[in-house]
Amino acid sequence: MEWYTLLLILFAGLVFLMLTGLPIAFSFLLVSLSATFFLMGPFGVRQLILGMYDQTTQFALTPIPFFMIMGEVFYQSGLVTRTLKTAALFVKRVPGRLSVITMLGGGVFSALSGSVVATTAMVGSIMAPEMTKRGYSKMLTTGTIMGSGSLAMVIPPSALAVLLGSISGISVGQILIGAIFPGIMLFLMYLIYIVVACTVRPSMAPVSDADEVENATPKQMVRALFTDLLPLAAIFLLVMGLIFMGLATPTESAAIGALGAYILTIFYRKFSLKLVFKTLVGSLRITGMILLIIASSAGFSQILSMSGASRQAVVAVMGISDSPNVVLFLMLSFVLLIGLFMEQTAVMMITLPIFMPIVLAFEIHTVWFAILYLICLQICQLTPPVGLALFAMKGVSPPEILMKDIYLGAVPFVIMNIIAILIMTAFPEIITYLPAARL
């Protein structure tokens, strides 16, 4: 059987099973077991199971439950509401003031939660009704909220970045460090767009909003800075700083971050046994799902390796072009294409086992590729028909915000992400500098 025929059959089987409503992980598992039994018989199935076990017991995966706990603590305790209120004290007379506040608060929560859907839902439930009531453009309202939520895909610590590293074999720590500058760059691009757009088109944000500034004395602002913002920033800096300086592994840093999150809930008087139970159960549920996905992905990778499909795919791509940039463009374009129709974890499980041998064969910088890949997945969160951020936004929007408004709101942020990819392709140092400078 030709390698491309095998890939087509596997892909068709996956699509069929997912269309029946079977979860992604189980769809991959069923296809992997069936294909392995067909190609190698019972011995192949035994080897497949052993390989899946080895993949899920890697030390590189241990940051996942701790990052999940950290995100769940911030989500369940409602600290994002406090962050948004504090941000409002520091944002004075700026065009599109509420949008700027939303982006600032959402960006902070994205870095702490690592979840696009959680950030979009939490920030959207708070800010969408308020911005709509104040007369903000529906496009600006929805776009700002989804844009801030989508940053969770890139800004470390990102659970999806850990998953990407585990599936691809790229260092998780290197990916997390390499994502710092791109995450900051996207965040600043979003802020600049909001201010410029509201300056050029004042109708997008009511002028009167600029006068509705919270009355706060300098003493109150300093107090809010030290009690509300700096402790949250300290968690992020602690987690990433320890990894960057080489003082702790991603696992140890994630555990410290989770502990720090619980300590903050005590500080803010949000701590309770009920909170602990809810965060542990929520993180356990998500971690179990991720481990199933990784196990299933490992099985898929073994099939491609045993059948020779990975090797033949490399040969086929090398026959198209010998330029790494052309090959990179083709791979990222394919991710964007299938990301329109498939959930992000499914995209990773299908493409990474095929792409990584190609990346290594063309000597493409693996961390550079990983971050560009993550940004493509971030774009897919904002594009119909299956963009999760779109549905999360609709779920918390006031009735007057239609799906059309949400689609239109996502367009500028999709364009900015594409521009960011082009900039990072032209200047890879934006991604590669910090991993190379790691102490």
Side-chain angles (χ1 to χ4, degrees), residues 99 241 291 361 426 439:
S99 293
L291 290 176
L439 300 177

Side-chain angles (χ1 to χ4, degrees), residues 2-326:
E2 295 291 341
W3 68 274
Y4 51 81
T5 305
L6 175 64
L7 282 181
L8 184 61
I9 292 173
L10 291 175
F11 184 73
L14 285 171
V15 172
F16 172 75
L17 289 174
M18 285 189 286
L19 287 175
T20 65
L22 192 66
I24 295 169
F26 292 112
S27 298
F28 270 86
L29 189 60
L30 185 57
V31 168
S32 298
L33 287 171
S34 302
T36 303
F37 185 81
F38 174 76
L39 293 172
M40 298 186 63
F43 174 77
V45 173
R46 183 175 182 274
Q47 293 301 113
L48 177 70
I49 294 171
L50 290 174
M52 292 165 64
Y53 174 79
D54 289 340
Q55 188 73 17
T56 53
T57 54
Q58 292 184 70
F59 182 70
L61 294 178
T62 48
I64 292 177
F66 294 114
F67 282 145
M68 291 297 100
I69 290 173
M70 189 168 67
E72 283 287 316
V73 169
F74 287 114
Y75 178 73
Q76 298 288 354
S77 64
L79 289 180
V80 65
T81 307
R82 193 181 188 108
T83 303
L84 288 168
K85 289 181 178 178
T86 304
L89 298 178
F90 293 89
V91 180
K92 298 295 185 178
R93 287 168 173 77
V94 178
R97 177 174 174 266
L98 282 185
S99 293
V100 172
I101 292 170
T102 300
M103 185 57 65
L104 290 172
V108 171
F109 189 61
S110 290
L112 296 172
S113 74
S115 170
V116 174
V117 173
T119 304
T120 303
M122 176 66 82
V123 176
S125 63
I126 299 169
M127 298 305 295
E130 186 67 19
M131 293 174 72
T132 303
K133 184 176 71 176
R134 299 284 188 92
Y136 274 71
S137 159
K138 296 176 183 178
M139 173 181 167
L140 181 64
T141 298
T142 57
T144 301
I145 294 169
M146 291 186 295
S148 68
S150 69
L151 288 170
M153 185 75 74
V154 179
I155 294 181
S158 165
L160 206 66
V162 178
L163 180 59
L164 187 152
S166 304
I167 295 176
S168 64
I170 304 172
S171 166
V172 172
Q174 293 282 298
I175 294 176
L176 293 175
I177 293 170
I180 293 176
F181 281 169
I184 294 173
M185 175 180 164
L186 285 169
F187 178 66
L188 292 177
M189 288 176 68
Y190 292 176
L191 279 177
I192 292 170
Y193 158 73
I194 292 170
V195 174
V196 171
C198 292
T199 302
V200 174
R201 295 180 58 193
S203 60
M204 296 182 71
V207 178
S208 60
D209 178 66
D211 299 323
E212 297 180 15
V213 178
E214 300 284 344
N215 284 324
T217 65
K219 183 178 179 181
Q220 290 174 319
M221 293 176 65
V222 171
R223 181 180 177 183
L225 176 66
F226 280 94
T227 59
D228 295 339
L229 294 183
L230 289 184
L232 298 177
I235 296 293
F236 171 79
L237 293 175
L238 183 64
V239 171
M240 296 310 303
L242 290 174
I243 297 174
F244 182 77
M245 292 186 292
L247 298 177
T249 64
T251 301
E252 293 163 344
S253 296
I256 292 172
L259 177 62
Y262 279 122
I263 291 174
L264 279 186
T265 62
I266 297 174
F267 176 75
Y268 291 123
R269 299 181 181 178
K270 299 285 186 179
F271 183 83
S272 66
L273 291 179
K274 182 179 180 182
L275 174 69
V276 174
F277 179 77
K278 288 172 67 176
T279 54
L280 291 179
V281 170
S283 60
L284 181 63
R285 185 184 300 114
I286 299 172
T287 301
M289 178 190 68
I290 290 175
L291 290 176
L292 267 176
I293 289 171
I294 292 172
S296 305
S297 175
F300 191 65
S301 300
Q302 287 184 66
I303 292 172
L304 297 179
S305 177
M306 290 185 298
S307 65
S310 297
R311 182 179 64 257
Q312 294 299 323
V314 173
V315 173
V317 171
M318 294 181 76
I320 296 174
S321 173
D322 58 359
S323 169
N325 287 333
V326 172

Side-chain angles (χ1 to χ4, degrees), residues 367-383:
V367 177
W368 182 47
F369 167 76
I371 302 304
L372 295 178
Y373 187 99
L374 277 177
I375 297 175
C376 286
L377 292 182
Q378 180 177 337
I379 293 173
C380 296
Q381 294 272 18
L382 299 170
T383 52

Side-chain angles (χ1 to χ4, degrees), residues 382-403:
L382 299 170
T383 52
V386 296
L388 294 181
L390 302 173
F391 294 111
M393 184 70 246
K394 181 58 180 173
V396 297
S397 295
E400 58 266 33
I401 293 181
L402 305 177
M403 206 66 201

